[in-house]
Amino acid sequence: MIYEDADIYLEWEESEIPWIKIFTKEPYKELTDVPAPLRAKLWNIYEVVEKEMIDYFNPSKINMASFGNYVPRVHIHVMARFENDSYFPEPMWGKKQRAGTLELPDFAPFEKRLRERLS
């Protein structure tokens, strides 16, 4: 768990890339089911995560996804993508393109920065 408050929590997805999942604590099925103030909060948290990923990891691109087919509740995947990751330009659920050659900074300082920004 990276961060948690009364409404939302953030977790790492185990991966070769920086990949965070943002969940609402209440298991809403669709984004339109989420009350407007919480939807705004969810989007604000997404923006903080995206900006911190860009500043800290310097990715080629940020990917955002929200499928909910396997986990049928509102959650957002935020992924820092790099041209030399294993799947780029495919999605992380796509066909592997190569053996990734990433040299990323330690995730611990990033987590600390993110917690400070969200607190």
Side-chain angles (χ1 to χ4, degrees), residues 98-112:
R98 70 192 70 73
T101 57
L102 297 177
E103 293 183 25
L104 298 173
D106 184 40
F107 286 21
F110 171 76
E111 275 190 43
K112 183 175 186 268

Side-chain angles (χ1 to χ4, degrees), residues 47-104:
E47 288 178 354
V48 168
V49 171
E50 179 183 276
K51 286 177 184 176
E52 286 299 319
M53 278 187 170
I54 290 168
D55 290 347
Y56 190 79
F57 295 108
N58 193 30
S60 303
K61 181 74 176 92
I62 294 291
N63 288 177
M64 184 230 303
S66 181
F67 298 110
N69 296 334
Y70 288 106
V71 180
R73 60 175 297 166
V74 170
H75 65 288
I76 299 172
H77 297 261
V78 188
M79 298 159 272
R81 299 299 307 278
F82 303 87
E83 291 179 6
N84 58 338
D85 73 45
S86 295
Y87 292 85
F88 195 89
E90 293 291 319
M92 292 302 292
W93 295 277
K95 184 179 177 195
K96 190 172 184 175
Q97 303 294 302
R98 70 192 70 73
T101 57
L102 297 177
E103 293 183 25
L104 298 173

Side-chain angles (χ1 to χ4, degrees), residues 7-35:
D7 304 308
I8 291 177
Y9 64 96
L10 280 66
E11 296 179 344
W12 282 109
E13 174 73 19
E14 192 170 320
S15 177
E16 73 179 274
I17 63 167
W19 182 342
I20 291 176
K21 298 178 290 187
I22 307 169
F23 290 88
T24 58
K25 283 194 171 176
E26 188 73 29
Y28 300 102
K29 185 175 180 185
E30 304 298 345
L31 192 57
T32 53
D33 296 335
V34 179

